[in-house]
Amino acid sequence: MNQKRFASHALRELVSSLKLPPLQAGDAPSPSECFDLANSKLWLTDLDWSSEAAQLRKAAVSNPTAYTVELAYKLLRRLRLVDQQITELDDGLLKCADLQELILTANHLTSVPLHYLPPNLKVLELCYNELETTSDLCISSLELIHLGLAYNKLSALDLQPSNWSFLFPRSSLLSLDLSYNRLADLPAVIKVIAELKQLCNLSLKGNPLTLVPCYHGYTVDSLAGITSLDDSEITALEREKASGMADLCEKQTELIMCARVHFQVKILNGLPELEEVGVEGCFGYAHHCY
């Protein structure tokens, strides 16, 4: 997208949509009159953008003179700015000082400067954006418990501890979703994730690194604290079978430097008959991807 659209603009539009049309000068109308004045558009407004939206609409209709955008910002705890064509974050989100959950799914974000995010945020969902790096994730004041980065364009995680310091100064992060990116270096990715001492839920599915034959065993053995990998609970038997896999892979690097893909082709059209090419018996093809 060539045109910039800030997150605060999308937020203000949603909050302002709950306001009544301007009233004529005079005494403030009664609550019943406010309901009569409310136009149909107000009641048809989609409220799934916040768990507090219904409460805000009631406040806007019951006492329109007291309802302001600034008041709405103070009351918001959960905010969903989904598919709002947002290209950049800005300091407007800081007005929602008590916001705890922010969903920015399906936008056009290429960077996430966390100093623009409310300080009490616990859940940050950024899936289906255009993020290619984690270098902007470098603030230690946030105490996130979930970070969603699925369906982006991440090819690596920044290995500098300072750039991931917001995740582990107090070991607050419990859930991390990195699925369906372009992560290919399994040891490098696990090295970064291992810093998240309280992490319980991890998803890496859909990344090229999951094609490594020892992916599951290596990950489970390297991250002793996680209880769920790729949306599946890690059983005691799985952890026992994976014991020692990390050390083995470090000694035999070829185990984690290749990928294996199994596929079956049932029908191939247009191939010459074996007799035509002078080959007797059966033949097959093997493809190795490195």
Side-chain angles (χ1 to χ4, degrees):
M1 295 184 62
N2 295 325
Q3 186 175 2
K4 291 184 179 181
R5 178 168 165 80
F6 293 98
S8 62
H9 296 169
L11 171 59
R12 190 174 188 87
E13 289 174 3
L14 291 171
V15 172
S16 299
S17 68
L18 303 179
K19 297 182 66 174
L20 286 169
L23 301 177
Q24 294 182 355
D27 295 334
S30 65
S32 61
E33 290 174 325
C34 288
F35 278 96
D36 294 335
L37 289 171
N39 58 32
S40 59
K41 183 179 179 180
L42 175 66
W43 300 109
L44 293 175
T45 301
D46 189 358
L47 300 181
D48 68 351
W49 55 271
S50 175
S51 55
E52 290 75 43
Q55 176 188 354
L56 292 174
R57 182 172 65 180
K58 182 178 180 180
V61 173
S62 300
N63 193 351
T65 57
Y67 179 83
T68 63
V69 171
E70 289 69 25
L71 175 63
Y73 289 160
K74 294 179 181 179
L75 296 177
L76 288 175
R77 300 293 182 273
R78 183 175 184 270
L79 180 61
R80 298 181 71 254
L81 300 177
V82 177
D83 194 18
Q84 293 289 324
Q85 309 301 313
I86 297 170
T87 61
E88 294 186 30
L89 299 185
D90 60 320
D91 59 2
L93 292 175
L94 295 175
K95 296 177 181 179
C96 305
D98 294 321
L99 193 68
Q100 297 184 359
E101 181 175 332
L102 178 59
I103 312 296
L104 291 167
T105 298
N107 284 290
H108 301 279
L109 294 170
T110 58
S111 64
V112 186
L114 295 187
H115 56 276
Y116 286 151
L117 297 180
N120 294 313
L121 204 62
K122 302 298 182 184
V123 174
L124 178 59
E125 187 61 67
L126 297 164
C127 67
Y128 285 103
N129 275 279
E130 299 173 14
L131 302 175
E132 297 183 0
T133 177
T134 59
S135 60
D136 290 324
L137 308 178
C138 56
I139 189 169
S140 60
S141 61
L142 291 180
E143 295 184 26
L144 295 176
I145 60 175
H146 171 76
L147 176 62
L149 294 168
Y151 291 96
N152 278 281
K153 301 176 181 179
L154 301 175
S155 58
L157 302 182
D158 198 307
L159 296 180
Q160 297 300 320
S162 61
N163 286 345
W164 280 72
S165 61
F166 81 104
L167 292 176
F168 50 80
R170 300 182 184 179
S171 300
S172 61
L173 199 71
L174 301 178
S175 175
L176 178 61
D177 186 0
L178 290 165
S179 55
Y180 297 99
N181 277 280
R182 302 172 181 177
L183 300 173
D185 192 334
L186 180 59
V189 170
I190 297 303
K191 180 181 179 181
V192 175
I193 296 176
E195 298 291 339
L196 310 176
K197 304 302 181 183
Q198 299 300 318
L199 191 69
C200 297
N201 181 25
L202 173 65
S203 182
L204 292 168
K205 63 183 178 181
N207 283 285
L209 56 77
T210 61
L211 299 176
V212 174
C214 63
Y215 157 72
H216 189 273
Y218 178 84
T219 304
V220 170
D221 191 36
S222 300
L223 305 174
I226 63 171
T227 58
S228 175
L229 177 62
D230 298 337
D231 300 325
S232 297
E233 182 181 358
I234 299 173
T235 65
L237 180 59
E238 285 179 309
R239 193 164 291 283
E240 181 180 356
K241 288 182 177 180
S243 179
M245 182 64 72
D247 290 337
L248 178 62
C249 290
E250 289 178 3
K251 295 177 181 177
Q252 302 181 28
T253 56
E254 67 274 7
L255 295 176
I256 51 177
M257 295 302 291
C258 65
R260 180 178 298 169
V261 180
H262 294 280
F263 61 92
Q264 182 179 11
V265 179
K266 294 184 178 181
I267 299 176
L268 283 175
N269 295 321
L271 292 179
E273 296 292 337
L274 295 181
E275 292 79 5
E276 296 179 17
V277 295
V279 178
E280 296 181 359
C282 298
F283 63 94
Y285 294 94
H287 298 273
H288 300 277
C289 303
Y290 296 92

